Structures are given as structure tokens and as C-alpha cells.
Amino acid sequence: MDNPLLIFDRSVDGRVGYLVPDGDVPAVGPSTVLAPHILRSLPAELPQVSEPEVLRHYIGLSLKNHHVDRDLYPLGSCTMKYNPKVNDALAARPGFSGLHPGQSADDTQGALELMYRLEKALKAITGMDRFTLQPAAGSQGELVGVLIMRKYHDSQGSRRRYIIIPDSAHGTNPASVVMGGFETLKVTTDRRGRVDLKDLEDKVSPEVAGMMLTQPNTLGLFEDQIVAITNLIHSVDGLMYMDGANLNALIGLTRPADMGFDITHINLHKTFSTPHGGGGPGSGPIGVTERLAGYLPGPLVAHNDDGSYGMVSPGTDSIGRVHGQNGNFGMLVRAYAYILSLGADGLANMSRRAVLNANYLKALLAGDDGAFELPYPEGIMHEFVLSGSRQKARGVKTLDMAKALLDRGFHAPTIYFPLVVPEALMIEPTESETKATLERFADALKEIDRLVDDDPQSLLDAPQNTPVGRLDETKANRELDVRWRA
Ligand SMILES: *Cc1c(COP(=O)(O)O)cnc(C)c1O
């Protein structure tokens, strides 16, 4: 076998992958320490392999997948940027990774100080007054935000039924609204790709608890009427929630609080560089303005008068706890390390470059001689959404083009989302890609566009150069079966 799938297939009796000096303490038989009934009778079934073989095995597995350390991963809205390895090294330091959640505040001053400082940085970045670091994902943050809206209106003795959401919203938005006990009220997108203000005016009423809005929106466009929107919602004492998953476009340029938002989540794993995807751990802190601080989940980090740090329980208005301890702490370490290493100017530069990269790629693909249709071209921030309608009319769907990109060594963009663009290809290159990489990617998509006429079958059969060929997507999702069988 050239490249065996299982590490057990590489196993050879007696081969070892470690080198340790002989012990100089006398061996103690296990039976003198452990009771016989808990002793294993068979030897552990472990592969017997050398160190290079272990390495080759795992490198080989990692090459079967696409990841951002291999090449561009332009998955729109997901911000698959480069994750500096130093962040991982810092999070793995024993003082952080070896903490037990039950340790006392005295024992964990460093961790508490890190959370305190991270919260301070997030407040400066967003203009919000208080954060909880507990939520384990953007979507959990959204739920926290919706529950805060609920508590706020309850405390005003006001019964509200709806939360307004644009029709371009991320799927988690309506899900969070419904889980939080509200109904969604959809507002349409205007010809410029922004919230249709007329439609919004028609929908705002005292039955509206608030609005959840992504800024920049999922078309990659800045909602430039944001002040009119927040004023309108506030005029019925509604609360404005910013889905801040796209914050990568905004740092140093504007802040949620300055635009009139009352609540925002931040996806630390997107904007502040934690490896993510595939359901890995995330972190979606929620920030609120002063008047909503009492509703946050607790406990919150406190900086005591004597200079020490502690945890304080929230007051009786709190929506309660949403995660054990302090959320996914390793993510907090990575985010703080990232923020410190870039600094305020570096972060502002990051956002500017993310916007510049998206606009350059947009110009390559949808410029005057562009092969692709771009339905909402004005005011592109960190991402843009092409339509594959022209290609579909010639017999090749967006899905086929996405598969053909895999053959060319790129991850596909997000496809068929947002729903307001037919045959959507949502492309977010991020700031960490070079001009040359963007050009390589644009060339690949343009070549695919030419093949729509010259050799459509090669696209319909793609991918052919990946470890597995075209899957039945529905079956793969509904009947997930990742167990290996001989
Ligand atoms: C990623 C994303 C979310 C959800 O974040 P998770 O951490 O994946 O739960 C919500 N809204 C937008 C716009 C996103 O891109």
C-alpha cells in the first residue's frame, strides 16, 4: 500500500516512535497499585510506528482536506483568514491550557486579567459599555441578544411580538429570533442591496421588539442609511442588534455604538483569527450599551479596587448563564494575542486591506470585460456576491463551478447565499492574501467561465483531482457516515 489510510496499516510489530532514557527508579507492578478487576488483560492496541511515519500519516490526512494553510479559502461571511501560529502557541502555554475551571480567583489572576483586558479592547473597538465573553459562537451570541431584548421589554412592561430581519440575513438570525420566543418580520432589500427604508417604515410598530441587522450586510455592502434605520427602530423603543460577524470590514473605520446599535456580537473566531470551521470551538462575545448591561449573563470579570481581578455575579435582571465558566477560554487568549500583536493601527490596516482585497478581486471578475454578473456592485466592503446566472443560462450551475474550483486547488466560495442573489457566489478573500493569489483565483474562475462554452462536461464532472469526487450533497448531509470500515 503506497499511502495507507489508517495508521494501523503502517504498524510493524516492535517498531517504536520514541526514544527515552532508561528509568532509574525501580519498576512497580501495576497489580501492587491497582485492584485486579480494573487491570486490562490484553495489551493496548496501539499502532507501532516510527516518528516520521506518524508525521507522514497526519500530514497525509491533512492534505486530503482543504484548509487556509494550503491556499485561498474565500468562503464568504466566514472570514477564513490566516491564523498566526503564535496565537496557538500562546493559548497552549501551560498557565492557560492547564487551568481548571474550578480554580479560585486567587489562583487564576492572569486569566482573569486577560479577560478583563480583552473586554476592554472589545469595548474600544465597538464603543459598547460591557461585554460577556461566555457565548460559544456567533449564533449563541445572537440568542443572548434576543433574550436581552425580551428581558428589556418585559422590564418596561411592554409586550412585543416581532424582530425585524432583512431578507439577506444569515440563517442563524431568524433561528435565534424564534428560539428567543419572537416572530420574524422580514424587510426587503432595495435595488442598491440595502434595507428598503420604505418597507421598513411600513413594518415598524410598537409590536416590534427590535431589529437584527448585519453590518456590512451579507452582500458585502455597508448599510449607509444606518442612522435613519436605528432612529426608526428607537422611535418605537425597539433595540438595534448588530450581527457583527462581518466586523473584519469595520475596525478603525466605525463602531457599532456610534451607528446607534444597542447590542452586538463579535465572532472572535472570524475577525480575531482562531482556526474555525467544521463545528470547532468558537467565541461570540456580546457587547451592550450601559442601559442594557444589567441583562448580561454572568458572572462578569471585575477589576477590584485593590488591583486584583475577580468574578462578580450579575444582578436579578440577568438573563442567566449561557455557558459553563467563561466560554471557550482558548479563543479568548488567541483573540487577545491577535489584538495585541496588531495594535490599533494594525487592526485598522487589517480592515482597510480586507476591503481593498475584495474590491481588487471584484474588479478582476466583474469589471467592464468581466465574466461574471455582480447584481449589487456599489460600496463593496470585505466581500461581494457574484451571480452565476449567465453561466447557468449556458448550462453550468454555480454548484458545478464551485466543484471545478476544488479541482484547481482552491476552496469554493459560499454558494447559493444570500438568497436575494440567484446562483450566488459569495467571495471573501480577507486581508491575508497577496495580489498574486487573488489574480490566480480570478484566472481560475475565468478559465471555468470559458469552459462553460468550450468543455462544459469537464465542469459537470468536477471535481476529479480531489480525494473524493462529486458527492450527493443531500445524502452526505443527511446520512453523515464518517466511520471507517474494512
Ligand atoms: C458566521 C456568521 C454567523 C454565525 O456565527 P457562528 O459563530 O457560526 O455561529 C452569523 N451571522 C453572520 C453574518 C455570519 O457570517
Side-chain angles (χ1 to χ4, degrees):
M1 232 182 298
D2 275 359
N3 189 7
L5 200 57
L6 300 184
I7 196 165
F8 286 93
D9 295 332
R10 293 177 184 262
S11 181
V12 173
D13 279 349
R15 190 167 284 170
V16 290
Y18 59 87
L19 194 61
V20 287
D22 288 338
D24 57 2
V25 286
V28 176
S31 54
T32 62
V33 183
L34 298 173
H37 73 278
I38 53 174
L39 284 179
R40 200 200 326 256
S41 51
L42 295 169
E45 267 184 60
L46 296 174
Q48 303 184 48
V49 282
S50 69
E51 182 173 318
E53 282 176 307
V54 174
L55 199 60
R56 282 182 186 163
H57 173 69
Y58 285 106
I59 293 284
L61 285 183
S62 86
L63 292 177
K64 290 190 191 302
N65 211 340
H66 190 85
H67 41 85
V68 75
D69 292 342
R70 286 190 80 178
D71 212 325
L72 180 69
Y73 201 137
L75 195 65
S77 211
C78 295
T79 315
M80 305 304 278
K81 61 164 75 178
Y82 175 66
N83 304 294
K85 303 307 165 213
V86 65
N87 299 349
D88 294 332
L90 291 168
R93 287 182 69 86
F96 291 130
S97 63
L99 287 176
H100 187 280
Q103 270 172 276
S104 69
D106 280 351
D107 259 5
T108 54
Q109 284 294 299
L112 293 171
E113 180 173 353
L114 182 140
M115 290 191 284
Y116 177 80
R117 287 172 176 247
L118 174 62
E119 180 181 353
K120 203 166 157 194
L122 299 181
K123 289 195 289 196
I125 286 166
T126 59
M128 293 292 166
D129 295 308
R130 198 78 230 247
F131 269 88
T132 169
L133 304 174
Q134 271 182 31
S139 45
Q140 196 184 19
E142 290 170 24
L143 178 63
V144 168
V146 172
L147 294 176
I148 288 174
M149 287 195 195
R150 157 141 293 202
K151 271 261 175 174
Y152 169 77
H153 290 296
D154 282 353
S155 74
Q156 309 292 305
S158 170
R159 291 183 60 79
R160 308 266 172 147
R161 196 163 156 198
Y162 302 110
I163 290 180
I164 296 178
I165 292 186
D167 56 5
S168 61
H170 194 263
T172 51
N173 292 186
S176 302
V177 165
V178 171
M179 280 183 75
F182 291 99
E183 291 172 45
T184 60
L185 202 55
K186 208 186 266 184
V187 62
T188 51
T189 298
D190 69 12
R191 270 183 304 137
R192 298 168 56 248
R194 273 74 168 194
V195 168
D196 187 328
L197 264 191
K198 272 256 40 56
D199 191 37
L200 184 62
E201 278 164 14
D202 290 345
K203 298 210 163 127
V204 169
S205 79
E207 280 202 290
V208 167
M211 179 173 187
M212 191 177 265
L213 184 64
T214 308
Q215 176 76 312
N217 68 27
T218 60
L219 292 163
L221 307 175
F222 189 76
E223 292 283 353
D224 48 10
Q225 312 220 60
I226 186 60
V227 176
I229 294 172
T230 51
N231 284 342
L232 199 54
I233 298 295
H234 287 153
S235 72
V236 294
D237 197 28
L239 296 172
M240 279 302 296
Y241 181 101
M242 180 169 129
D243 177 332
N246 291 339
L247 192 70
N248 208 52
L250 296 184
I251 299 186
L253 304 176
T254 184
R255 306 186 306 169
D258 300 340
M259 294 184 270
F261 287 98
D262 305 284
I263 312 172
T264 188
H265 81 252
I266 299 178
N267 277 17
L268 293 188
H269 47 289
K270 293 180 183 171
T271 309
F272 299 109
S273 83
T274 284
H276 65 280
S283 183
I286 280 283
V288 296
T289 53
E290 190 66 52
R291 67 179 171 138
L292 300 176
Y295 302 107
L296 285 172
L300 297 165
V301 183
H303 193 192
N304 303 320
D305 290 339
D306 65 1
S308 66
Y309 297 87
M311 300 295 290
V312 285
S313 297
T316 49
D317 282 341
S318 167
I319 64 160
R321 198 181 251 288
V322 296
H323 191 287
Q325 309 305 332
N326 298 299
N328 287 326
F329 181 70
M331 256 82 291
L332 308 183
V333 179
R334 286 174 175 83
Y336 187 61
Y338 187 70
I339 289 170
L340 272 195
S341 50
L342 265 69
D345 289 347
L347 289 172
N349 234 338
M350 164 196 103
S351 285
R352 288 199 185 91
R353 282 168 195 226
V355 172
L356 181 63
N357 271 2
N359 277 276
Y360 182 60
L361 191 52
K362 174 202 95 167
L364 293 178
L365 289 167
D368 293 338
D369 61 339
F372 292 86
E373 198 180 326
L374 178 64
Y376 300 105
E378 270 162 55
I380 297 292
M381 297 288 285
H382 63 300
E383 67 189 5
F384 56 98
V385 184
L386 299 174
S387 169
S389 295
R390 284 180 200 158
Q391 288 76 15
K392 190 181 180 194
R394 285 142 62 203
V396 170
K397 299 188 301 296
T398 281
L399 178 71
D400 304 317
M401 293 194 282
K403 299 295 183 196
L405 277 171
L406 305 183
D407 263 345
R408 286 155 180 80
F410 295 106
H411 197 281
T414 299
I415 56 173
Y416 298 108
F417 174 76
L419 305 177
V420 293
V421 172
E423 296 292 311
L425 289 138
M426 184 195 216
I427 301 176
E428 179 179 12
T430 82
E431 70 281 3
S432 42
E433 299 302 335
T434 63
K435 186 162 171 277
T437 298
L438 302 179
E439 288 164 358
R440 228 167 14 88
F441 178 71
D443 287 345
L445 258 181
K446 286 179 174 177
E447 185 212 354
I448 289 168
D449 173 61
R450 282 193 298 277
L451 289 172
V452 171
D453 298 320
D454 298 347
D455 184 9
Q457 198 57 43
S458 70
L459 303 175
L460 301 177
D461 293 340
Q464 309 209 42
N465 306 316
T466 46
V468 288
R470 178 132 2 167
L471 297 173
D472 177 334
E473 306 246 325
T474 313
K475 197 170 153 65
N477 267 301
R478 296 239 167 111
E479 295 169 36
L480 186 67
D481 179 5
V482 293
R483 206 180 120 193
W484 182 86
R485 290 184 186 81

